[in-house]
Amino acid sequence: MIKSELVMRIAEQNPHLYQRDVENIVNAILEEITRALARGDRVELRGFGAFSVKQRNARVGRNPRTGETVDVASKRIPVFKTGKEMRLRLNGGAASAKKAAVRVSA
Amino acid sequence: MAGRTVTRADLCEAVYQKVGLSRTESASLVEMVLSEICNCLANGETVKLSSFGSFVVRDKGQRIGRNPKTGVEVPIEPRRVMVFKPSNVLRARINGQRSEGEE
């Protein structure tokens, strides 16, 4: 599923909203998460997972093809940790079994 | 100084501020978006959110693990895990100038 499909599905469930509104909603959510991470904050969404930011120190890397050494600058990377409920659903928790039954078509 | 934890309430507030909906409706839409993403992933489907990142479901085979405290070998059953691959845009935003001008 890509973003536009997500927007379409949410719009179908909410006939009173314009697709453009739904698009704005999805973007607002992603933007808020991005901003939080850019500030170095953690984003915790129960039942889904948590985003956090980790610091990677500068290091000397190597171009694997040529063997040349390259300086890699320190950077911050986003990290996602799957939440407990999501982990269970991925591995056939009760909720996912129900969903699979519903999803005959599509 | 990484202090705060952003939660659903903050996402609802952001939606409420940007889109002209009631707080209650904003909250229910945030919930719908998250559950739609969860449902896809639970079905093993990849979710790609452009300029943010993608969530991919991976199958892990069985392997032998070890209890680090006791040293006892334990089989780790095959399982499905979900990985987040941040987009280049997200990586750049996180490393870009820290958005102090915001707010």
Side-chain angles (χ1 to χ4, degrees):
Chain A
M1 179 175 74
I2 61 173
K3 202 201 271 179
S4 57
E5 291 167 334
L6 173 63
V7 169
M8 262 171 47
R9 291 185 201 185
I10 303 290
E12 277 167 20
Q13 296 168 41
N14 297 274
H16 61 294
L17 295 178
Y18 289 113
Q19 190 153 319
R20 182 170 17 91
D21 294 330
V22 179
E23 213 175 307
N24 287 336
I25 290 163
V26 170
N27 285 332
I29 294 171
L30 298 178
E31 178 60 25
E32 188 63 18
I33 298 175
T34 304
R35 280 194 197 188
L37 294 175
R39 289 194 300 263
D41 288 348
R42 200 179 122 80
V43 180
E44 190 178 305
L45 303 167
R46 287 285 158 90
F48 182 63
F51 297 90
S52 56
V53 179
K54 274 195 178 148
Q55 178 77 38
R56 288 269 181 272
N57 291 329
R59 64 191 167 87
V60 179
R62 218 171 252 284
N63 180 329
R65 188 170 296 174
T66 64
E68 275 174 276
T69 61
V70 202
D71 288 324
V72 182
S74 77
K75 62 187 166 202
R76 302 199 299 165
I77 54 153
V79 187
F80 177 76
K81 186 168 182 279
T82 313
K84 193 173 167 191
E85 199 181 306
M86 192 63 221
R87 211 166 56 224
L88 291 173
R89 282 190 66 185
L90 286 168
N91 289 287
S96 84
K98 216 195 301 170
K99 271 278 137 38
V102 173
R103 206 164 178 278
V104 176
S105 58
Chain B
M1 59 157 244
R4 242 175 79 68
T5 296
V6 169
T7 62
R8 271 182 174 71
D10 301 283
L11 301 188
C12 298
E13 185 62 24
V15 169
Y16 171 72
Q17 299 286 344
K18 271 177 217 165
V19 191
L21 298 174
S22 72
R23 280 209 156 79
T24 326
E25 199 168 12
S26 302
S28 96
L29 275 148
V30 168
E31 215 48 59
M32 276 186 221
V33 170
L34 290 175
S35 81
E36 195 59 47
I37 296 174
C38 286
N39 291 347
C40 263
L41 292 164
N43 286 321
E45 204 185 321
T46 296
V47 176
K48 286 186 188 171
L49 302 169
S50 85
S51 83
F52 184 72
S54 50
F55 297 95
V56 186
V57 178
R58 282 207 189 132
D59 283 299
K60 296 278 196 179
Q62 187 180 20
R63 65 186 168 93
I64 302 296
R66 203 180 269 278
N67 180 328
K69 197 173 279 178
T70 63
V72 179
E73 283 189 355
V74 204
I76 297 176
E77 300 299 322
R79 65 205 198 284
R80 287 206 297 173
V81 297
M82 159 184 164
V83 239
F84 174 63
K85 294 201 330 202
S87 75
N88 289 331
V89 179
L90 180 62
R91 284 169 194 269
R93 290 271 311 263
I94 287 176
N95 284 288
Q97 78 246 70
R98 310 174 99 216
S99 34
E100 272 146 6
E102 282 170 14
E103 203 96 348

